[in-house]
Amino acid sequence: MQYDVIIVGAGIAGLYAALNLPKELKVLILCKDQPWECNTFYAQGGIAVAKNQADIPLHITDTLKAGAGMCNEDAVATLSKESLEVLEDLIARQTPFDRDSNGNLLFTKEAAHSTSRIIHAGGDCTGRVLHSHLIAQITHTLWKNASVTELLIDDDHCCGVSVLTKRGNYNLYANNVILASGGVGALFEYHTNAYTISSELHGMILENGLKLKDMEMLQFHPTVFVQTTHARKMLLSEALRGEGAFVVDFWGKRFLFDYDSKGELAPRDKVARSIFDYKLKLKEKYPNAKPEELEVYLDFSAFDKDFFYERFPNIARNLNSVGFDVPKDRVPISPAFHYCMGGIQTDNVGKVLGMQNLYAVGECACTGVHGANRLASNSLLEGLVFSRRATQDILANSLSFKIREFPLHTQILQKERDENLKALLRHLMWNKVGIIRKKSGLNEALGGVEVMLQSGIGRLLKLRLLTAQNIIQSALTREESIGAHYIQ
């Protein structure tokens, strides 16, 4: 089975890449489960865009400031300038963005933005609305329940992928391969990611001698309801704080202003660390306190109930389902892993460095846009802008080469003990490679990962461990705190 383009992943980056490839090409989209089981579908806040040409310099400045000096400035300029073209295209595709009574786009503000420039859809259901709208327009073939288990690399070409389906294992060949597989959520005990986001593609990159970049730069969302049994914890969008929600302790103190003059609207990494630190101090100060007195809460009392249910219908419904009467009730929150700023190292059109026909777009890639800390709602925008750039490069070059056939790999994908080891890995990464890091803890985590790598595991766990190992090594190499990387 040979294709012009194989796309791995059916989130916003994968779908938008497919929509930018003409019907005449033979294109295959692969997704590990159902196509909606992706991070895009669960994205709440919106898409950051330059509101107009005049806003581009300020959007660039905000992005660079959030990135703490580690952004690729050319990539950031590309992101902001092309946001206008992408927005125009999405509007032409009749994407149902939220508008006022006069038909004007509604913009909201999130942390570290100098102005309201975030468009949204369905209130707090931007990802779900956008994903559903884009997938309805797809004309190319999409395979569900198809897990990529190997990249078929021959020198500086990717000849295709090996894929496991319910019908068996196949080698699929292509002139071009686009990776849009998402981030690394499954490596952490508390996270907001879809359960399919496993970091296995990152491991395949490493085993083929290709590069990951800035993998120590992991963003922990500050406001997550973690008191659920589900692997994916309940994200409480930053847009809530942008619209007026505030963070308090049990006694109602807005303690974030003790850490940063911007309070709730400080950059995410500062808010997450502040909450984490404050909870530790509460435990030290009040060793005999009741559990609820040691919690930190998100307070919605500034909201009118009708406004809250109109602006945040999904969050209201989810919180109602676990027993909260919002906006009346405060909700206990904790930071949780949310987004990986680093990823597969690419150039400015999403091409993987060292490869001729392999691209990476969206969260799995590192374009340099986010630097040490992603500016809120730039993630969906990055997936749109750089997937479009990747397809433009593919169409401009019309690459064709002699594809050699590969034998089907025979490695055992999963062994009996792997599930227990995955749980151990998640616990290790959360406690030792999380919000606040210590060199001793990182070394302990590295030792644990290396022991697991030598313990007769299945292939899929090995790939996760290779990614975890790279994250830890990157964190150890960067000895000074910067952006989301905070080391004591």
Side-chain angles (χ1 to χ4, degrees), residues 406-475:
F406 288 69
L408 285 172
H409 72 79
T410 56
Q411 298 176 53
I412 297 172
L413 295 179
Q414 184 158 326
K415 296 187 178 180
E416 187 176 348
R417 292 178 58 242
D418 286 2
E419 284 303 317
N420 290 335
L421 291 176
K422 285 179 186 176
L424 178 61
L425 174 63
R426 289 191 290 268
H427 186 73
L428 194 64
M429 292 294 287
W430 175 253
N431 285 286
K432 305 298 181 181
V433 199
I435 298 168
I436 297 177
R437 300 163 177 173
K438 296 181 179 179
K439 192 169 184 178
S440 59
L442 291 171
N443 279 313
E444 184 180 334
L446 184 60
V449 166
E450 289 175 346
V451 167
M452 283 188 268
L453 278 168
Q454 301 300 320
S455 60
I457 54 177
R459 172 166 172 75
L460 297 182
L461 176 54
K462 175 190 172 185
L463 294 170
R464 292 190 188 196
L465 287 166
L466 288 175
T467 305
Q469 183 183 48
N470 185 273
I471 291 170
I472 299 164
Q473 290 170 338
S474 298

Side-chain angles (χ1 to χ4, degrees), residues 341-407:
M341 273 78 73
I344 303 165
Q345 192 169 3
T346 69
D347 64 12
N348 66 352
V349 294
K351 188 179 291 182
V352 176
L353 295 192
M355 300 298 292
Q356 295 294 318
N357 68 328
L358 179 63
Y359 298 80
V361 293
E363 190 177 350
C364 75
C366 183
T367 62
V369 159
H370 305 305
N373 196 17
R374 174 176 66 91
L375 182 68
S377 291
N378 266 352
S379 50
L380 292 180
L381 178 62
E382 183 199 24
L384 291 162
V385 167
F386 285 91
S387 63
R388 180 170 169 262
R389 289 178 71 81
T391 58
Q392 288 171 339
D393 190 68
I394 288 171
L395 295 174
N397 290 299
S398 302
L399 182 66
S400 184
F401 63 99
K402 184 175 177 58
I403 295 175
R404 77 171 176 89
E405 292 193 9
F406 288 69

Side-chain angles (χ1 to χ4, degrees), residues 83-98:
S83 71
L84 294 171
E85 298 172 22
V86 166
L87 177 58
E88 185 178 341
D89 180 58
L90 291 175
I91 290 172
R93 294 179 186 275
Q94 299 183 319
T95 307
F97 293 116
D98 293 339

Side-chain angles (χ1 to χ4, degrees), residues 284-298:
E284 293 171 1
K285 187 175 181 180
Y286 303 110
N288 299 316
K290 298 175 183 177
E292 60 269 23
E293 293 175 337
L294 301 177
E295 292 288 354
V296 166
Y297 299 86
L298 199 57

Side-chain angles (χ1 to χ4, degrees), residues 58-76:
L58 192 56
H59 183 208
I60 291 172
T61 298
D62 288 347
T63 301
L64 294 175
K65 283 182 179 178
M70 281 186 57
C71 298
N72 179 316
E73 293 190 21
D74 290 339
V76 173

